[in-house]
Amino acid sequence: MKATIALILISVCTISELIAYMPQIIKILKTKSADDLCLTSWLIWIVSDICYLSYVVLESPEIGVVFLAILSLVLVLFVFGLTLFYRKHPKTKKKNRH
C-alpha cells in the first residue's frame, strides 16, 4: 500500500512538472526569443533532473516512472537548447515597408 501511494505521488509530481514546461516551450517557439530566461536556473533544473533520474533508476525500476523521469530531463534539455539557440540566433526584426 505504501509503495503504491509513493508511486502515485511521484507520478503526479512528475506529470505536473512535464505540464509546467509546456507554456515555456510554446512561448519560446512562438516568440523565437529566450532573452527573459535564466540559463543558470535551467542548468540547475538539468542537474536536478539527472539526480532525480538516477534516484528513480536506483530505487524504483518501474518502467513508467523511469520513462517520466527521462521525459522530464529531455524537456528540460529542450528548453535549455532552445534558450541557447535563440540567444545565439536572435530573431531578426522585419523592416516596415509602406
Side-chain angles (χ1 to χ4, degrees), residues 52-79:
Y52 174 64
L53 176 59
S54 300
Y55 173 81
V56 166
V57 168
L58 292 172
E59 292 294 321
S60 175
E62 296 279 335
I63 191 70
V65 178
V66 172
F67 173 76
L68 290 174
I70 290 170
L71 186 56
S72 179
L73 178 59
V74 167
L75 289 177
V76 169
L77 289 170
F78 186 65
V79 171

Side-chain angles (χ1 to χ4, degrees), residues 36-51:
D36 56 343
L37 294 181
C38 177
L39 284 176
T40 304
S41 294
W42 287 97
L43 279 171
I44 292 168
W45 275 112
I46 290 169
V47 170
S48 174
D49 275 8
I50 289 170
C51 291

Side-chain angles (χ1 to χ4, degrees), residues 6-56:
L7 183 61
I8 291 169
L9 291 173
I10 199 69
S11 296
V12 168
C13 176
T14 306
I15 291 168
S16 298
E17 187 178 296
L18 297 175
I19 293 169
Y21 296 139
M22 289 302 125
Q24 190 65 68
I25 291 170
I26 291 167
K27 180 181 177 192
I28 293 170
L29 292 172
K30 277 186 177 179
T31 64
K32 297 188 182 345
S33 172
D35 293 338
D36 56 343
L37 294 181
C38 177
L39 284 176
T40 304
S41 294
W42 287 97
L43 279 171
I44 292 168
W45 275 112
I46 290 169
V47 170
S48 174
D49 275 8
I50 289 170
C51 291
Y52 174 64
L53 176 59
S54 300
Y55 173 81
V56 166

